Amino acid sequence: MKISIKRDFDFIEYNVDMQDATLLEVIETIKTEQDSSLAYSSGCRSSVCGSCSMRVNEKEVLACAYKVQDGDVVEPLKNVEVIRDLVVNMDKALATKKRAKTWLQTYNKEAKLTHEDEKTNALQSDCILCGSCYSACPVYAVNEAFLGPFALTGVWKYVSDKREAAPEEKIETIQKNGVWDCTLCNECTLVCPQNISSKADIEKLRMRSSMAGYSDPNFAQNFGGGLSF
C-alpha cells in the first residue's frame, strides 16, 4: 500500500505492508521503520484529544480514527502555521476562544438547571479543539480576524446556558468578525469528528443577535441607503 505525505513543499511516497490500519498506526510505522525524521502530533489515540488532526485527500480527519486506503494523500491542516511536516501551531485558532469570551462570565446563582437544560448545549461541550473546522473554513482562510467555528460554537454554549446572567455581552462580542461573516457553507460541520454543527450554532446566534437589535452590517451597507430619485 502506498501513501504520500506532504513534507515542506513536496510529497514523499511511502510503501507500507499494513491492512485495516489507522493513519496514526501507519505514520508511526513509517517513522519507526523507514523515516525517523517524520514529524507528527498524537496524544490519546482514542479520538478525544484532537492532537492528531490532519488532512487526507483534502479532507480533515483524526489520524487515530481514519483507516488508511491505498493512494491516500496526507498533509497538515490548512489556515495554521506548519511547524514541521504534519505538526502545526494552533495558537492563533485557540486564541479566538479568548477573544470570543467562551466562558461563564457573570454567574446567575439563582439559575437551576433541569435535565432538559443540560441537553441544550451538551453537544457543544464535546468539542475537542482539534482545529479541523478552522482548517476547512473558507472565511478564516482569508480573514484571520474571523472568530471561526469552534469559538462561535463556544459562544452559543454559554449564551444558551441559564447560568450566564449577561448573555447580551457575549452577543455584542461576536458582531464584528463573527456571526455575520460566516458564509454558512457547512464545511465545518462536515469535518467535525464530534458531529457538532457550528453552522447551526451560528444560525442560532444570528437569531439571538437579531432579537437583541443587531443586524447584518453587510446588508445594511448594501441596502441601507435606500432608493434615490
Side-chain angles (χ1 to χ4, degrees):
M1 180 171 60
K2 296 180 180 180
I3 70 167
S4 297
I5 300 178
K6 188 174 184 180
R7 307 191 64 185
D8 294 326
F9 300 102
D10 297 317
F11 284 91
I12 308 299
E13 187 175 274
Y14 297 94
N15 287 289
V16 290
D17 185 16
M18 301 178 69
Q19 300 297 325
D20 194 38
T22 66
L23 177 56
L24 183 57
E25 290 171 334
V26 170
I27 290 175
E28 289 176 335
T29 299
I30 291 173
K31 184 175 180 67
T32 302
E33 300 179 1
Q34 298 184 37
D35 189 348
S36 61
S37 67
L38 178 61
Y40 60 94
S41 298
S42 68
C44 68
R45 303 169 186 266
S46 55
S47 303
V48 175
C49 73
S51 61
C52 66
S53 55
M54 53 190 69
R55 303 180 78 229
V56 178
N57 305 328
E58 301 185 343
K59 181 180 180 181
E60 288 70 16
V61 302
L62 293 182
C64 65
Y66 177 80
K67 291 298 183 71
V68 174
Q69 303 294 319
D70 185 38
D72 279 344
V73 178
V74 184
E75 56 190 321
L77 296 180
K78 295 192 303 180
N79 303 330
V80 288
E81 174 195 2
V82 177
I83 298 174
R84 179 181 168 191
D85 299 338
L86 302 173
V87 181
V88 299
N89 185 347
M90 287 289 294
D91 286 352
K92 285 187 177 180
L94 294 173
T96 61
K97 291 178 64 64
K98 182 177 181 180
R99 289 196 287 119
K101 300 179 181 179
T102 56
W103 58 82
L104 202 62
Q105 283 181 273
T106 308
Y107 183 59
N108 180 4
K109 297 181 179 179
E110 303 301 320
K112 303 295 182 182
L113 296 186
T114 65
H115 290 306
E116 288 303 313
D117 292 330
E118 293 172 357
K119 294 177 183 178
T120 299
N121 48 40
L123 182 59
Q124 288 78 5
S125 301
D126 290 338
C127 176
I128 58 176
L129 304 178
C130 66
S132 293
C133 57
Y134 276 81
S135 176
C137 179
V139 178
Y140 192 67
V142 297
N143 178 16
E144 288 189 353
F146 179 50
L147 288 174
F150 66 51
L152 290 170
T153 277
V155 172
W156 173 249
K157 173 184 174 181
Y158 290 102
V159 165
S160 61
D161 194 321
K162 290 169 62 175
R163 293 170 298 179
E164 174 56 67
E168 65 279 0
E169 294 181 13
K170 296 191 182 299
I171 292 296
E172 181 182 4
T173 300
I174 60 174
Q175 296 308 304
K176 184 177 180 180
N177 292 313
V179 289
W180 307 110
D181 294 78
C182 175
T183 62
L184 302 179
C185 68
N186 205 41
E187 291 296 323
C188 53
T189 304
L190 296 176
V191 300
C192 179
Q194 300 294 84
N195 296 315
I196 298 170
S197 176
S198 288
K199 171 181 177 289
D201 295 336
I202 290 169
E203 288 177 323
K204 288 180 282 192
L205 286 171
R206 285 185 175 186
M207 181 178 68
R208 290 291 293 267
S209 295
S210 297
M211 292 170 61
Y214 296 101
S215 61
D216 185 347
N218 298 312
F219 181 86
Q221 180 178 352
N222 293 331
F223 301 101
L227 298 175
S228 60
F229 298 92

